[in-house]
Amino acid sequence: MMKSRSDEEEYWNASKFKAFTFDDEDDDLRESKSAFESLAQLPDEDERDHVEEVSWSGEPVGSISRSVRETAASGRRTEGEAAFPARVDADLAKVNSGYSLSSLFKGRRGASVATLADVSGDRSGRTVAPEIRRPKSEKEDLVGDWSPQDAVNRMRQGKPVPLERFRCLQDKLRLLDRSVDAQDGNVITAVLIFLKKSLSKEVLFGELASRPTALRHLFAYLSESGDDALLADLYRALGRVEDAAVTRSHATTKYTLLHYKEHLSITDEKKKRDFLKSCLSLQFSPEDQVQLQDQVSLLERQMLIEATDRQAELGGKAEIFQKFPRRASILHMPLVTTLYYCCFYHYGQPEGSFSSPQNLRNSFKISEKQFFVTALSARAKQKSWRDVDALFAGRSWLGFTRKKSPLAFQVVVDILHRNSAPVHVLQEYVGLVDDADARMALAHKHKCHDLVINVSALHVGRAATSRDLSLLSSDVSRLQRPTAVARIPREGGGGVGGREEDRRAARRLANPLEELIGNSQRGSSPGDRAFCTFRGLGCNKKDLKQKQCEFVQMELSCWSL
Amino acid sequence: MAYSGRKDSPELPDFSLLKRLARDQLVYLLEQLPGKKDLFIEADLMSPLDRIANVSILKQHDVDKLYKVEYKPIISTSDQLCFLIRPRIKTVKWISDVVNADKAGGKFRKYKIIFTPQKFYACETVLEEQGVFGNVSMDEWGFHLLPLDDDIISLELSEFFRDNYLAGDLRWVRTAGSALHLLHSIYGPFSKVYGIGRCSKMAYESWKEQAKEEEQKPRNSEIGNVFLIDRDVDFVTPMCSQVVYEGLVDDIFRIKCGCVEFGTDVSSSDKSIKVMLNSQDKVFNEIRNEHFSNVFSFLSQKARNLQVAYDKRRGMDIKQMKTFVSEELKGLKQEHRLLSLHISASESIMKKKTKQDFQELLKTEHSLLEGFEIRECISFIEEHINRQVSMTESLRLLCLLSLTENGLLPKDYRSLKTQYLQSYGVEHLLTFANLKQSGLLVEQQQGETLTVMESKVGKLVNDKTAGKLTDAFSSLARKNNFRALSRKLNLVPKSDDEYDLRLPRDMAYVFSGAYIPLSCKIIEQVLERDGWTGLEEVTKLLNGNEFAVTGKNGANNEAQRIVVVMFLGGCTYSEISALRFLGRERGYKFIVVATAIASSSRLLEALLGNHV
């Protein structure tokens, strides 16, 4: 029932220094969990029985979904000879609805209940043939002439109406208008179905152009019943109505997308490509046209890659496919996935090759950031740290190599971490994180001890490097932005004021030792803040005490090295 | 949470009656087809059916075997088939195929379709077109309202949202009206009905129409007030990450019909377990409305108390022990199990949320709500998209951006859309079209000039046709004025003071103190003012369609404080929690009636265009 002790320990250790976690609550959780463990060890004579009896579990014996599943299962076994499990029969005797039908009729809420039953009785009693079809003469004796309003009223009550009697266009339209006024979609659709059958498309579509609500119902009905052909006709007809360009473009867009949608049901790549190509002649907006063009070229590209790679895989020559077998074909995948695939399997290829990531990047105008993120994760996944490193290569104007990234280094670290990069790799990038606090927090989270030591040593020597200076100035500038500062308290949640934080950041540069010791007293080190930053998840300082002490001790010990 | 509010909240009406009614009606309908029969149930009706009946009840009424509707040829050998379905064309087509296959195979059977909650003409037309009209008998099962809990009633109509807010199809309006009518005839008469939104107004009118058909005997009313609200009045709230326990559980594990399935990581065994989440679960009942940060301390306190209770047995004599075992032990054990389950669930939630950098995500959402550092938010969203983090999550953030900023700048819209299509597939062109149509994700018009132009051109060219036709395509996208509303109604509390989530001071606690759900704020204001007076500017920003009607019957005081809030298009658990809070503060009891339980992922999935 409970996790084993060792498992649990492992979990807590692992999460001890994670930044941005709910760690402050962990202590509570740990406490409750350990309280549980002691409970679980209590001598327990009949636990099993109770476990079974407790009825909060979702589906008690005799539940319908369960039984359906059983039917399905047994159906597979015996081809339709399935019967209910014996257990259900036993239940049958026990369970009783307790409410017979008669009680329904003489229930304490007499009036309303009886009406309900009446209604249902009435409904089931009559034959439910649609009176739409009944010959006119038959009805004429029973009822007089119905006005469109009467007809609509009857239909709303689910009563049969011979719609055939509305033969002239004026009547038909009045019927439609009354149904729209009645605001009952079911009736509107019913009238539309009748009109669709009894009017020519041209007349119907023409009249609907000035009746938006009815039109929407026809759209909905046609698309639910899968009559795409008529729907397309309708859009086309509306696109031709000589009105404002806006309307025309709306209808055209609708038509275009309806047609385009068909490609979703095509699985064969060649057919899909041809179909998409045919869509290019439709009137997409200029931006969407570009997207569609890209979709076609991407599919073509994927077909090329797929063919070559499948052969390489089967041939067994390419080592990479042996080492990392392909899990699925690349066909029909989004562009970014394709890019990832190429970065994974074809990274080093010359730019001229169709599967080269660079080539892909240029042909599809992939943004630098997007390319960078994808290449980074793909290379990290392969553990090619040299490639990862090379991604950041950049030269400053003085000719030094300096790591450059279109992404914040926090994000870089996160991506590397997700791809289980080893500490020595992570460390390098954690060191590049701009914000000192975030850097410290990440260093702790990823256990980059060297870095913690370095940072501390740096501070001890009071070596005011240029970066520290710039940091300081950025801190000062932050102080001057009241709006930014005002937001911080809520993130702090635990009472660490924004201004206070900034002041401390500045002070830390001056005297790290004091800062560290001060932290142990006040209970808020950078790491602590990281724990607290889950905005709004209020922090319990006391619960943090323990963790805090360990934390500061570690920081101090590193520093004293 | 400290309950600072009033303690004299009135008792809730007994809604189990609704279940009995539905069950008895179903039994009645089954008996209309005497003799042994096989029952085919639509997949999404199985859970609701499970809540009101069980297999033995069905068996008592000659149901032989149960099947799920799977749109495949059937293998039943019974000579009577009964289908319990929603009124959907696809399902009716499948039934027609079944009947026609039998005809071709020379099999003779009786068929009966039971539509719930009502049948549509469009479905009958299918039967007619497929040539099976006379072969199949039809009935309606008015199963409108399913009580999921003491204060939550659901219509379980997930398609309501798409049909109404994307397609503009009004077919569920009458259904909503009937649901209201049912409540009214059992628990009414209502003394006051408020509402806002197009659909709300229509549902109200539909109910009035239905109520007119029968007379109401004077009765003791149990529900005093009703508030109807359209989902598109407030799209912002469901697009926010939920941080109240029940909402989080729904976002992560998906509560289905009041029941959640916990995977193996929570059940700490090799099987997943299904658990009912409602007020019967004592542990859950105490934490469901809590902000997640309070849940842990609560659970550990609870665990300690439990330990104390167990420890009591020490030093008992035989007789005491006997009473302990017979009276307390079972309860304690049950609590023990519940507690361990919710601890594992919380643990699992925490793991998942930590993994996806929840903190940054919340920060971005809160900045969006506040209208602060929008550029940073956009680059955060971009990064989300670039890294192919969950498809719906990225979409949710895009929608939140559009809703709070009243549309995206054309430049941003294009760039974000391109990146989205590159990451998740070009076929999402269809999704973007849907989102645009429903008004969730739109491009800002370059000034008002264009729209003025449009209408001028429209007027010049023809009568009103042009404008109306445009209407048919796009009028569903209501103008969103979130920023102005937020200022008028003070939805975003001032940021410089601390917000103590343990002692929440307003409904903003359901979003970590950063935002009061718009929908709930409107309800609060209207109840406080007993109408819309003084809220004229707000209603204008909400695109109007507000109403407040006083009924004939003055209900007694107790019932006056019972308020039914009907969300047309779905309601989130966070909103339910906020209303419960409001109820405690003001001495109301809220009953939430929703067309379905909503969440950002459910709403967005309904609008995805990448499936066939």
Side-chain angles (χ1 to χ4, degrees), chain B residues 14-48:
Chain B
D14 174 21
F15 291 120
S16 59
L17 186 72
L18 292 171
K19 290 191 187 182
R20 294 205 302 261
L21 262 176
R23 185 172 59 216
D24 291 344
Q25 209 194 343
L26 177 65
V27 164
Y28 176 80
L29 291 174
L30 287 175
E31 283 179 350
Q32 300 297 299
L33 188 66
K36 286 248 180 257
K37 57 205 157 253
D38 281 359
L39 185 63
F40 290 79
I41 306 169
E42 188 123 52
D44 54 349
L45 274 175
M46 296 207 321
S47 298

Short mmCIF file of all heavy atoms in Angstrom, two decimals, chain B residues 14-48:
data_model
loop_
_atom_site.label_atom_id
_atom_site.label_comp_id
_atom_site.label_asym_id
_atom_site.label_seq_id
_atom_site.Cartn_x
_atom_site.Cartn_y
_atom_site.Cartn_z
N ASP B 14 -33.41 18.42 -1.37
CA ASP B 14 -32.98 17.04 -1.61
C ASP B 14 -33.08 16.72 -3.10
O ASP B 14 -34.17 16.62 -3.65
CB ASP B 14 -33.90 16.11 -0.81
CG ASP B 14 -33.61 14.66 -1.12
OD1 ASP B 14 -32.50 14.38 -1.62
OD2 ASP B 14 -34.51 13.83 -0.87
N PHE B 15 -31.92 16.59 -3.72
CA PHE B 15 -31.93 16.38 -5.16
C PHE B 15 -31.95 14.91 -5.57
O PHE B 15 -31.96 14.59 -6.75
CB PHE B 15 -30.73 17.09 -5.81
CG PHE B 15 -30.85 18.57 -5.76
CD1 PHE B 15 -29.90 19.34 -5.11
CD2 PHE B 15 -31.93 19.20 -6.36
CE1 PHE B 15 -30.02 20.71 -5.06
CE2 PHE B 15 -32.05 20.58 -6.32
CZ PHE B 15 -31.10 21.34 -5.66
N SER B 16 -31.93 14.02 -4.57
CA SER B 16 -31.94 12.61 -4.96
C SER B 16 -33.25 12.26 -5.65
O SER B 16 -33.35 11.30 -6.40
CB SER B 16 -31.73 11.73 -3.73
OG SER B 16 -32.76 11.98 -2.81
N LEU B 17 -34.24 13.11 -5.41
CA LEU B 17 -35.53 12.91 -6.07
C LEU B 17 -35.38 12.91 -7.59
O LEU B 17 -36.05 12.17 -8.30
CB LEU B 17 -36.48 14.03 -5.63
CG LEU B 17 -37.92 13.90 -6.11
CD1 LEU B 17 -38.61 12.78 -5.36
CD2 LEU B 17 -38.65 15.21 -5.93
N LEU B 18 -34.47 13.78 -8.08
CA LEU B 18 -34.25 13.85 -9.52
C LEU B 18 -33.77 12.52 -10.06
O LEU B 18 -34.15 12.08 -11.13
CB LEU B 18 -33.22 14.94 -9.83
CG LEU B 18 -33.64 16.39 -9.56
CD1 LEU B 18 -32.45 17.31 -9.70
CD2 LEU B 18 -34.74 16.80 -10.52
N LYS B 19 -32.91 11.87 -9.27
CA LYS B 19 -32.40 10.57 -9.71
C LYS B 19 -33.52 9.54 -9.76
O LYS B 19 -33.63 8.77 -10.70
CB LYS B 19 -31.33 10.08 -8.74
CG LYS B 19 -30.04 10.85 -8.77
CD LYS B 19 -28.98 10.10 -7.98
CE LYS B 19 -27.72 10.92 -7.84
NZ LYS B 19 -26.67 10.21 -7.12
N ARG B 20 -34.34 9.56 -8.73
CA ARG B 20 -35.42 8.56 -8.69
C ARG B 20 -36.38 8.77 -9.85
O ARG B 20 -36.84 7.83 -10.49
CB ARG B 20 -36.17 8.66 -7.36
CG ARG B 20 -35.31 8.28 -6.18
CD ARG B 20 -36.17 7.81 -5.02
NE ARG B 20 -37.12 8.82 -4.60
CZ ARG B 20 -36.92 9.62 -3.56
NH1 ARG B 20 -35.81 9.53 -2.84
NH2 ARG B 20 -37.83 10.51 -3.22
N LEU B 21 -36.67 10.05 -10.11
CA LEU B 21 -37.56 10.36 -11.22
C LEU B 21 -37.02 9.81 -12.53
O LEU B 21 -37.72 9.15 -13.29
CB LEU B 21 -37.68 11.86 -11.36
CG LEU B 21 -38.90 12.52 -10.74
CD1 LEU B 21 -38.78 14.02 -10.90
CD2 LEU B 21 -40.15 12.01 -11.43
N ALA B 22 -35.73 10.10 -12.77
CA ALA B 22 -35.12 9.67 -14.02
C ALA B 22 -35.14 8.15 -14.11
O ALA B 22 -35.44 7.57 -15.15
CB ALA B 22 -33.70 10.20 -14.11
N ARG B 23 -34.82 7.51 -12.99
CA ARG B 23 -34.77 6.05 -13.00
C ARG B 23 -36.14 5.45 -13.29
O ARG B 23 -36.28 4.56 -14.12
CB ARG B 23 -34.24 5.55 -11.65
CG ARG B 23 -34.05 4.05 -11.62
CD ARG B 23 -33.37 3.63 -10.35
NE ARG B 23 -34.13 4.03 -9.19
CZ ARG B 23 -33.58 4.43 -8.04
NH1 ARG B 23 -32.28 4.50 -7.90
NH2 ARG B 23 -34.34 4.77 -7.02
N ASP B 24 -37.13 5.98 -12.62
CA ASP B 24 -38.47 5.42 -12.82
C ASP B 24 -38.96 5.64 -14.25
O ASP B 24 -39.63 4.79 -14.82
CB ASP B 24 -39.45 6.04 -11.82
CG ASP B 24 -39.15 5.57 -10.41
OD1 ASP B 24 -38.40 4.58 -10.29
OD2 ASP B 24 -39.62 6.19 -9.44
N GLN B 25 -38.60 6.78 -14.78
CA GLN B 25 -39.02 7.03 -16.16
C GLN B 25 -38.34 6.06 -17.12
O GLN B 25 -38.95 5.57 -18.06
CB GLN B 25 -38.72 8.48 -16.54
CG GLN B 25 -39.69 9.01 -17.56
CD GLN B 25 -39.22 10.30 -18.19
OE1 GLN B 25 -38.33 10.97 -17.68
NE2 GLN B 25 -39.80 10.65 -19.32
N LEU B 26 -37.08 5.79 -16.85
CA LEU B 26 -36.36 4.85 -17.71
C LEU B 26 -36.98 3.46 -17.62
O LEU B 26 -37.20 2.79 -18.63
CB LEU B 26 -34.88 4.78 -17.31
CG LEU B 26 -34.05 3.77 -18.08
CD1 LEU B 26 -33.97 4.16 -19.56
CD2 LEU B 26 -32.64 3.66 -17.51
N VAL B 27 -37.28 3.06 -16.39
CA VAL B 27 -37.90 1.76 -16.20
C VAL B 27 -39.22 1.67 -16.97
O VAL B 27 -39.50 0.70 -17.67
CB VAL B 27 -38.13 1.50 -14.69
CG1 VAL B 27 -39.10 0.36 -14.48
CG2 VAL B 27 -36.80 1.22 -14.00
N TYR B 28 -39.97 2.74 -16.88
CA TYR B 28 -41.24 2.80 -17.59
C TYR B 28 -41.03 2.61 -19.09
O TYR B 28 -41.74 1.84 -19.75
CB TYR B 28 -41.90 4.14 -17.29
CG TYR B 28 -43.19 4.37 -18.05
CD1 TYR B 28 -44.38 3.80 -17.60
CD2 TYR B 28 -43.21 5.17 -19.18
CE1 TYR B 28 -45.56 4.00 -18.29
CE2 TYR B 28 -44.39 5.38 -19.88
CZ TYR B 28 -45.55 4.80 -19.43
OH TYR B 28 -46.73 5.01 -20.11
N LEU B 29 -40.01 3.29 -19.61
CA LEU B 29 -39.75 3.20 -21.05
C LEU B 29 -39.28 1.80 -21.44
O LEU B 29 -39.66 1.28 -22.49
CB LEU B 29 -38.69 4.23 -21.46
CG LEU B 29 -39.14 5.69 -21.39
CD1 LEU B 29 -37.97 6.62 -21.67
CD2 LEU B 29 -40.27 5.95 -22.36
N LEU B 30 -38.46 1.19 -20.57
CA LEU B 30 -37.99 -0.16 -20.88
C LEU B 30 -39.16 -1.14 -20.93
O LEU B 30 -39.19 -2.07 -21.72
CB LEU B 30 -36.96 -0.62 -19.85
CG LEU B 30 -35.59 0.04 -19.95
CD1 LEU B 30 -34.71 -0.41 -18.78
CD2 LEU B 30 -34.92 -0.28 -21.27
N GLU B 31 -40.12 -0.88 -20.06
CA GLU B 31 -41.27 -1.78 -20.03
C GLU B 31 -42.17 -1.63 -21.26
O GLU B 31 -43.03 -2.46 -21.51
CB GLU B 31 -42.06 -1.58 -18.74
CG GLU B 31 -41.34 -2.25 -17.57
CD GLU B 31 -42.07 -2.05 -16.26
OE1 GLU B 31 -43.01 -1.25 -16.22
OE2 GLU B 31 -41.67 -2.71 -15.27
N GLN B 32 -41.97 -0.55 -21.98
CA GLN B 32 -42.73 -0.38 -23.22
C GLN B 32 -42.33 -1.40 -24.28
O GLN B 32 -42.98 -1.52 -25.30
CB GLN B 32 -42.52 1.02 -23.80
CG GLN B 32 -42.95 2.14 -22.88
CD GLN B 32 -44.43 2.10 -22.60
OE1 GLN B 32 -45.26 2.20 -23.50
NE2 GLN B 32 -44.78 1.93 -21.33
N LEU B 33 -41.18 -2.02 -24.04
CA LEU B 33 -40.73 -3.07 -24.96
C LEU B 33 -40.65 -4.36 -24.14
O LEU B 33 -39.61 -4.72 -23.64
CB LEU B 33 -39.34 -2.70 -25.52
CG LEU B 33 -38.76 -3.56 -26.63
CD1 LEU B 33 -39.58 -3.43 -27.91
CD2 LEU B 33 -37.32 -3.17 -26.91
N PRO B 34 -41.81 -5.01 -23.98
CA PRO B 34 -41.84 -6.15 -23.06
C PRO B 34 -40.99 -7.31 -23.57
O PRO B 34 -40.76 -7.44 -24.78
CB PRO B 34 -43.32 -6.55 -23.03
CG PRO B 34 -44.04 -5.61 -23.93
CD PRO B 34 -43.06 -4.81 -24.70
N GLY B 35 -40.52 -8.12 -22.67
CA GLY B 35 -39.73 -9.28 -23.04
C GLY B 35 -38.24 -9.00 -22.99
O GLY B 35 -37.81 -7.86 -22.81
N LYS B 36 -37.47 -10.06 -23.15
CA LYS B 36 -36.01 -9.93 -23.09
C LYS B 36 -35.50 -9.05 -24.22
O LYS B 36 -35.96 -9.12 -25.35
CB LYS B 36 -35.37 -11.31 -23.22
CG LYS B 36 -35.49 -12.17 -21.98
CD LYS B 36 -34.11 -12.37 -21.36
CE LYS B 36 -34.17 -13.24 -20.11
NZ LYS B 36 -34.08 -12.46 -18.87
N LYS B 37 -34.52 -8.22 -23.86
CA LYS B 37 -33.94 -7.35 -24.88
C LYS B 37 -32.49 -7.02 -24.54
O LYS B 37 -32.11 -7.02 -23.38
CB LYS B 37 -34.74 -6.06 -25.01
CG LYS B 37 -34.83 -5.30 -23.70
CD LYS B 37 -36.06 -4.41 -23.68
CE LYS B 37 -36.50 -4.07 -22.27
NZ LYS B 37 -37.71 -4.74 -21.83
N ASP B 38 -31.73 -6.75 -25.57
CA ASP B 38 -30.37 -6.27 -25.37
C ASP B 38 -30.37 -4.75 -25.42
O ASP B 38 -31.09 -4.16 -26.22
CB ASP B 38 -29.44 -6.81 -26.46
CG ASP B 38 -29.04 -8.25 -26.17
OD1 ASP B 38 -29.50 -8.77 -25.13
OD2 ASP B 38 -28.31 -8.84 -26.98
N LEU B 39 -29.55 -4.17 -24.56
CA LEU B 39 -29.53 -2.71 -24.49
C LEU B 39 -28.17 -2.17 -24.95
O LEU B 39 -27.13 -2.60 -24.45
CB LEU B 39 -29.81 -2.28 -23.05
CG LEU B 39 -29.93 -0.78 -22.79
CD1 LEU B 39 -31.10 -0.18 -23.54
CD2 LEU B 39 -30.09 -0.51 -21.29
N PHE B 40 -28.22 -1.29 -25.91
CA PHE B 40 -27.00 -0.62 -26.38
C PHE B 40 -26.98 0.79 -25.82
O PHE B 40 -27.94 1.54 -26.01
CB PHE B 40 -26.97 -0.56 -27.92
CG PHE B 40 -26.75 -1.89 -28.55
CD1 PHE B 40 -27.79 -2.79 -28.68
CD2 PHE B 40 -25.49 -2.25 -29.01
CE1 PHE B 40 -27.59 -4.03 -29.26
CE2 PHE B 40 -25.28 -3.49 -29.60
CZ PHE B 40 -26.34 -4.39 -29.72
N ILE B 41 -25.87 1.12 -25.15
CA ILE B 41 -25.81 2.43 -24.50
C ILE B 41 -24.70 3.26 -25.12
O ILE B 41 -23.59 2.78 -25.33
CB ILE B 41 -25.52 2.27 -22.99
CG1 ILE B 41 -26.54 1.33 -22.37
CG2 ILE B 41 -25.55 3.61 -22.30
CD1 ILE B 41 -26.20 0.92 -20.98
N GLU B 42 -25.03 4.50 -25.40
CA GLU B 42 -24.03 5.42 -25.94
C GLU B 42 -22.91 5.60 -24.89
O GLU B 42 -23.18 5.75 -23.70
CB GLU B 42 -24.69 6.76 -26.24
CG GLU B 42 -23.80 7.72 -26.96
CD GLU B 42 -24.43 8.20 -28.27
OE1 GLU B 42 -25.58 8.65 -28.29
OE2 GLU B 42 -23.75 8.07 -29.29
N ALA B 43 -21.68 5.62 -25.39
CA ALA B 43 -20.53 5.63 -24.48
C ALA B 43 -20.63 6.71 -23.40
O ALA B 43 -20.45 6.43 -22.21
CB ALA B 43 -19.25 5.79 -25.27
N ASP B 44 -20.94 7.92 -23.81
CA ASP B 44 -20.92 8.98 -22.79
C ASP B 44 -22.19 9.03 -21.95
O ASP B 44 -22.36 9.90 -21.11
CB ASP B 44 -20.62 10.35 -23.42
CG ASP B 44 -21.56 10.70 -24.55
OD1 ASP B 44 -22.30 9.81 -24.98
OD2 ASP B 44 -21.53 11.85 -25.01
N LEU B 45 -23.08 8.06 -22.14
CA LEU B 45 -24.24 7.98 -21.26
C LEU B 45 -24.04 6.95 -20.16
O LEU B 45 -24.83 6.87 -19.22
CB LEU B 45 -25.49 7.59 -22.07
CG LEU B 45 -26.25 8.72 -22.74
CD1 LEU B 45 -27.37 8.15 -23.58
CD2 LEU B 45 -26.80 9.67 -21.69
N MET B 46 -22.97 6.18 -20.28
CA MET B 46 -22.81 5.08 -19.33
C MET B 46 -22.57 5.57 -17.90
O MET B 46 -23.20 5.08 -16.97
CB MET B 46 -21.68 4.16 -19.78
CG MET B 46 -22.03 3.52 -21.10
SD MET B 46 -21.28 1.94 -21.40
CE MET B 46 -19.69 2.15 -20.76
N SER B 47 -21.66 6.54 -17.77
CA SER B 47 -21.41 7.04 -16.42
C SER B 47 -22.64 7.71 -15.82
O SER B 47 -23.00 7.40 -14.68
CB SER B 47 -20.23 8.00 -16.41
OG SER B 47 -19.08 7.33 -16.81
N PRO B 48 -23.31 8.59 -16.54
CA PRO B 48 -24.52 9.18 -15.96
C PRO B 48 -25.55 8.11 -15.57
O PRO B 48 -26.18 8.19 -14.52
CB PRO B 48 -25.07 10.06 -17.09
CG PRO B 48 -23.91 10.39 -17.93
CD PRO B 48 -23.00 9.21 -17.85
#
